[in-house]
Amino acid sequence: MTPSTQCQETKNMSSVSSTSNTGSAQLSTNQFLQLLVAQLQNQDPLNPVNPQDFVTQLATLNSVEGLNSLNTSFSQMLQLQQLTQGASLIGKTVNYTPTNGSPTTGTVSAVTAQNGQFVLTVGSNQVTLSQIQSLS
């Protein structure tokens, strides 16, 4: 492997790593480590890759994993907040606009989760939190 090819591989790995930050390419930890091992196995022994490049790549991987973990935590917090909002509406009268049209009023009797979204039961209707216009 020539030094220019080796340098290009390092740049390619960095770009794959950074694109996973934006979500356009998903690179798992195992896939990243496989690429790293392949790069180490195929490098020119007379001109090895700079160790700082590997440290940078590992730091980037660690950052991406941390961001993914943070996103998961925020998602769980949002679901809990929606559940709390929905539960606080039980027994209250709400004005809402159902998907079929005209504004309606009713009393919230239950909260359920459907397809990852919390849905209120108002009379015989299923109402999402985003359909509620006002509370009385």
Side-chain angles (χ1 to χ4, degrees):
M1 173 179 285
T2 66
S4 64
T5 307
Q6 177 183 356
C7 183
Q8 185 61 38
E9 276 189 16
T10 302
K11 287 179 184 176
N12 288 344
M13 284 187 63
S14 294
S15 68
V16 170
S17 229
S18 65
T19 55
S20 65
N21 275 337
T22 62
S24 61
Q26 294 297 322
L27 185 64
S28 73
T29 304
N30 288 338
Q31 291 170 328
F32 180 84
L33 291 175
Q34 287 173 352
L35 283 172
L36 191 61
V37 168
Q39 183 179 5
L40 286 171
Q41 289 173 341
N42 294 313
Q43 72 179 338
D44 182 4
L46 300 176
N47 188 14
V49 175
N50 185 351
Q52 291 176 343
D53 291 339
F54 288 120
V55 171
T56 301
Q57 291 170 0
L58 290 174
T60 301
L61 175 66
N62 191 26
S63 296
V64 169
E65 286 178 343
L67 288 173
N68 285 339
S69 175
L70 190 61
N71 284 340
T72 301
S73 296
F74 280 142
S75 177
Q76 291 170 345
M77 278 181 37
L78 178 62
Q79 286 182 337
L80 182 59
Q81 181 183 15
Q82 288 176 337
L83 177 61
T84 303
Q85 286 176 339
S88 69
L89 295 175
I90 293 176
K92 306 252 169 104
T93 302
V94 294
N95 297 320
Y96 63 96
T97 305
T99 53
N100 63 0
S102 63
T104 308
T105 300
T107 302
V108 178
S109 60
V111 179
T112 57
Q114 296 177 357
N115 299 324
Q117 186 176 21
F118 290 99
V119 178
L120 306 173
T121 302
V122 182
S124 62
N125 295 325
Q126 299 295 310
V127 180
T128 63
L129 292 174
S130 63
Q131 292 175 304
I132 295 176
Q133 304 300 317
S134 65
L135 174 67
S136 55

